[in-house]
Amino acid sequence: MRTLVKYAGMALLVVGLAACDGKSNSATVDSSSQSNPDVTLMDGKLSFTLPAGMSDKSGKLGTQSNNMHVYADDSGQRAMIVIEGSNTSEDLKVLADRMEEQQRKRDPQLQVVTNKSLTLNGLPAQQLDSVISANNQSSWSSVVLAKVDGKLLTLQITLPADNQQQAQNDAQTIINTLQLK
């Protein structure tokens, strides 16, 4: 489990990630709406609306694993990573706290904005919002942790934090479209 949290932490910095298992998982993108396509993952148990300008970049990152999906704009500054992890019995708050702690070790300037519980379609989730710094740039990061069929789902959204309020609103707009079954 620490390895998964470590990988999710690395995702916060939008660097090389490794997935936890190699189970087959298909992604469906409904491109009938070019500006905001709907994405369905985990055999229909997760869906969300992809923001305008972002597209599936999963195959372009060299990963052979099917349980990590990456969506980004052409610049790579706006990104969304979805990881279907392994089964866990750990509490989502504990996992989010551990992730926050690990991020603080890597980024002493980390600004945690929220670490809160939320409910997505009646299922518990945890949301960790922060501003991270890397290479003299700041990024808004929203991480949502949830369990789907006992497996840990990590969804991480990274946006430029030039305008922190706008980045927070944009991330929340994506989170508001999340549907879990």
Side-chain angles (χ1 to χ4, degrees):
M1 185 48 54
R2 288 185 183 268
T3 303
L4 178 62
V5 174
K6 177 180 169 187
Y7 289 153
M10 290 170 61
L12 290 172
L13 298 174
V14 191
V15 295
L17 290 171
C20 295
D21 64 21
K23 293 185 179 175
S24 177
N25 187 12
S26 61
T28 304
V29 178
D30 176 8
S31 57
S32 61
S33 170
Q34 288 287 19
S35 61
N36 297 88
D38 291 327
V39 177
T40 303
L41 300 170
M42 301 176 69
D43 298 323
K45 295 186 182 198
L46 167 67
S47 64
F48 55 90
T49 301
L50 200 59
M54 293 179 87
S55 61
D56 189 352
K57 306 288 186 190
S58 300
K60 297 179 181 177
L61 295 180
T63 179
Q64 297 298 315
S65 192
N66 288 329
N67 63 343
M68 182 178 79
H69 300 275
V70 179
Y71 305 91
D73 63 4
D74 289 336
S75 72
Q77 292 184 2
R78 296 175 51 221
M80 188 165 143
I81 300 169
V82 181
I83 301 171
E84 178 187 350
S86 54
N87 288 337
T88 182
S89 60
E90 288 193 80
D91 184 69
L92 295 172
K93 174 74 169 129
V94 170
L95 294 171
D97 289 346
R98 189 178 307 144
M99 184 182 294
E100 178 183 336
E101 178 184 321
Q102 290 178 353
Q103 285 305 303
R104 284 191 188 282
K105 288 179 183 176
R106 282 191 285 281
D107 180 5
Q109 298 174 356
L110 180 75
Q111 300 171 16
V112 174
V113 179
T114 58
N115 187 348
K116 65 180 181 180
S117 298
L118 65 147
T119 304
L120 300 171
N121 297 93
L123 298 174
Q126 189 73 23
Q127 181 175 341
L128 175 63
D129 294 333
S130 59
V131 177
I132 58 175
S133 301
N135 301 324
N136 296 323
Q137 294 183 349
S138 294
S139 297
W140 178 267
S141 174
S142 288
V143 178
V144 176
L145 302 172
K147 292 181 187 178
V148 177
D149 291 340
K151 293 180 181 181
L152 180 62
L153 168 70
T154 305
L155 181 131
Q156 187 267 328
I157 303 163
T158 303
L159 304 167
D162 300 334
N163 180 338
Q164 185 175 326
Q165 186 63 46
Q166 183 64 46
Q168 183 177 8
N169 290 343
D170 291 349
Q172 193 60 48
T173 298
I174 297 168
I175 292 169
N176 290 342
T177 69
L178 287 175
Q179 298 289 317
L180 295 178
K181 296 179 184 174

